[in-house]
Structures are given as structure tokens and as C-alpha cells.
Amino acid sequence: MSGLRVLAIDDERPALDELAYLLQADDRVAEVVACQSATDGLRILREREVDCVFLDVQMPGLSGLELAEVLGRFKQPPPVVFVTAHEQHAVDAFDLRAVDYVLKPVRPERLAEAVRRVLGDASPPQVATDTQVAVERGGVTRFVDRGDITHVEAQGDYARLHTAGGEAYLVRVPLTTLEEEWAEAGFHRIHRSLLVALAHVTEVRTEAGRTSVRIGATELPVSRRHTRGLRDVLVRRARAGR
């Protein structure tokens, strides 16, 4: 049989039916087997082979994250795509080597991207244009001005973008990638898990041998490893009048 054999798992029948319908509408999918619990999913996996698993995160009994952990112990683990209404589990999902993390309500084009990731032919995500960053929340893609981003926090292979307005957005890009791509835009590493936009830094403070920076009402730690580099770059910017 050509095409993907997909196991879809969601404890809510309407959501499961919608997911199965959208997957079956994809020409790259040959078969969809649906069930309403992770336990039933494990039983199906013992009885037949599938190419990938699309599953919800929060389910009664065995959760989607727990099932993914079990699947990770298989000799040949099937690729896992989480389909959920809860953004906060994305980091845990990526730590379990999930191929993708799709937010509900599911849009056909977003699900098609997840299928491309399963097949291994997805293009790298386009995170930033010259001045804007594409972020997804609740199935809606928004464009955030990079100049409004005050700092970036690493969360596994994701990054959380914090804005001057107090909003935060999770993007599927490692902090190291943003550090390289945004260096010329004035973003500087101050900690293994933090980048700051130097234009938003209002204060650098050193107390008892510990350095921190203040961005508005937020105080962020600067690691000893990055303290000297931060001071050097701030001095250079001051001399350049930037």
C-alpha cells in the first residue's frame, strides 16, 4: 500500500472525526486508523504496523505525552505528531522528539505541513523576515515586529519570544539559530538560555558578584561567562551612539 498509514488518537469523538477526515483528504495518506484512548492505541500498535501517530496530549488514563514516552522505547519508534489545544505542552513534546506540534482548531494547511514533516521533506520554518517574525497561536499566524521583542528564552529546541507589551510567543527554532540570525539586529546572548535585545536594556546591575540586566520591570540574570562580552558590546554601542 502506497502512502502513510496513520494512527489517530483523541478522546473527544468530534475532534477525532475531524482529524481523521482531514488526514484522509491528504493524498499522501493511504489509511487512517482512529481510536479514543492511548491504551487502545497501544493495542492497535501491537496488532498492526503504522507509519506515524497523531495524538492528543491530555486524555484520561494514559496521556499523549506518556504514550509518546512509551513509543520512544520501541525498537523502531513511529514518528509522533501532537494535536492539541494546549500550547504549554510544546516543550515537553519536543523533548520527546515529536515531529510536530499542531494546535487546535486544526487547519488543513497546518496539518499538511505536519504530514510533510513526517515524510521528512518539510522546508525549515521561516521564522523571521527582515523586520517581522511569524508566530502561531491558536491556529492563527501572526506577525510580530522584531523591534518589539525584548528578550528570548530557550525552551528545549523551541524559543519563547517576549515582547514589550508583555506577550510571549513560542516558536519552533533553537535559541542558537536566533542568536546567529539576529546578532546584527542587536540581540546578544547573556545566559545559556537567554538572548536580550540590547536596545531594550535600561540598566546593568552588579551586586555581590552577580550581574543582571533590567528590561522595563523585568530583571534577567547574566551568567559570569557572558558578563564581559555584554559589557564590551554595550560600551561599543554607546560609543557608536546606538
Side-chain angles (χ1 to χ4, degrees):
M1 180 184 295
S2 61
L4 290 174
R5 297 164 295 183
V6 180
L7 173 60
I9 309 172
D10 197 312
D11 64 298
E12 297 180 357
R13 173 54 67 176
L16 180 62
D17 290 345
E18 176 72 6
L19 176 60
Y21 172 78
L22 292 174
L23 286 168
Q24 288 168 341
D26 194 310
D27 292 338
R28 297 162 297 179
V29 175
E31 180 184 15
V32 179
V33 180
C35 65
Q36 288 186 257
S37 75
T39 302
D40 286 344
L42 277 176
R43 176 182 54 79
I44 292 170
L45 288 166
R46 294 190 189 102
E47 297 173 353
R48 61 192 302 170
E49 291 185 2
V50 301
D51 297 308
C52 59
V53 179
F54 283 66
L55 76 161
D56 194 7
V57 171
Q58 293 186 343
M59 295 184 286
L62 192 68
S63 73
L65 293 174
E66 290 168 335
L67 175 58
E69 188 173 357
V70 173
L71 297 181
R73 302 190 193 112
F74 281 25
K75 185 175 181 180
Q76 292 183 319
V80 170
V81 174
F82 286 100
V83 184
T84 177
H86 304 282
E87 179 185 281
Q88 67 267 28
H89 298 295
V91 175
D92 292 331
F94 199 86
D95 287 343
L96 291 169
R97 300 186 181 278
V99 172
D100 206 349
Y101 192 90
V102 180
L103 291 175
K104 297 177 181 178
V106 179
R107 294 177 290 113
E109 61 270 23
R110 183 64 184 86
L111 198 63
E113 180 184 342
V115 173
R116 286 196 299 272
R117 290 181 185 275
V118 168
L119 292 169
D121 60 358
S123 300
Q126 295 295 318
V127 176
T129 62
D130 288 342
T131 59
Q132 291 186 315
V133 184
V135 298
E136 185 171 304
R137 174 181 286 179
V140 177
T141 299
R142 301 178 182 179
F143 295 92
V144 177
D145 287 337
R146 187 167 59 182
D148 289 338
I149 297 172
T150 59
H151 61 288
V152 185
E153 179 184 5
Q155 294 194 336
D157 274 15
Y158 283 74
R160 188 172 294 278
L161 313 178
H162 296 266
T163 69
E167 295 184 305
Y169 302 93
L170 197 67
V171 294
R172 190 189 177 99
V173 180
L175 193 70
T176 52
T177 300
L178 295 182
E179 180 183 13
E180 294 173 2
E181 295 181 354
W182 292 5
E184 292 185 0
F187 284 81
H188 188 79
R189 175 89 70 148
I190 63 168
H191 191 277
R192 63 183 177 85
S193 62
L194 286 170
L195 290 181
V196 295
L198 297 174
H200 287 276
V201 174
T202 57
E203 182 179 280
V204 179
R205 177 180 298 181
T206 300
E207 292 181 351
R210 295 182 180 274
T211 301
S212 63
V213 297
R214 185 170 291 277
I215 297 175
T218 302
E219 188 169 346
L220 301 171
V222 181
S223 70
R224 290 177 179 172
R225 175 184 176 187
H226 294 94
T227 297
R228 181 171 180 177
L230 173 65
R231 291 189 178 279
D232 288 347
V233 73
L234 287 173
V235 168
R236 288 198 302 270
R237 286 175 64 86
R239 288 174 177 170
R242 289 158 52 182

